[in-house]
Amino acid sequence: MRGAFSAMDLTARHSRTGALLSTVRFMLQPLAAAGELQRDLQRELTSYDGLRAAEA
């Protein structure tokens, strides 16, 4: 069984500069943003639940 990214080379670098290819960065930035959003939402919910428990 193959995953969605199994056919993509996510380590592709420019031959002269060694920087990640723009297409790789373009694919990874939304994934990183989604992960950051999930982490921030979980932090907010955890803080909110803690405050509610402290009030009770």
Side-chain angles (χ1 to χ4, degrees), residues 17-39:
T17 64
L20 279 176
L21 294 181
S22 297
T23 52
V24 173
R25 285 197 321 266
F26 179 76
M27 289 186 302
L28 293 179
Q29 284 176 340
L31 294 173
E36 187 174 343
L37 174 64
Q38 180 182 7
R39 184 191 65 215

Side-chain angles (χ1 to χ4, degrees), residues 11-56:
T11 62
R13 297 191 175 272
H14 192 276
S15 59
R16 283 180 288 180
T17 64
L20 279 176
L21 294 181
S22 297
T23 52
V24 173
R25 285 197 321 266
F26 179 76
M27 289 186 302
L28 293 179
Q29 284 176 340
L31 294 173
E36 187 174 343
L37 174 64
Q38 180 182 7
R39 184 191 65 215
D40 290 346
L41 287 173
Q42 188 165 6
R43 248 188 223 150
E44 288 175 16
L45 291 173
T46 301
S47 298
Y48 181 71
D49 290 344
L51 289 173
R52 286 181 49 202
E55 288 174 355

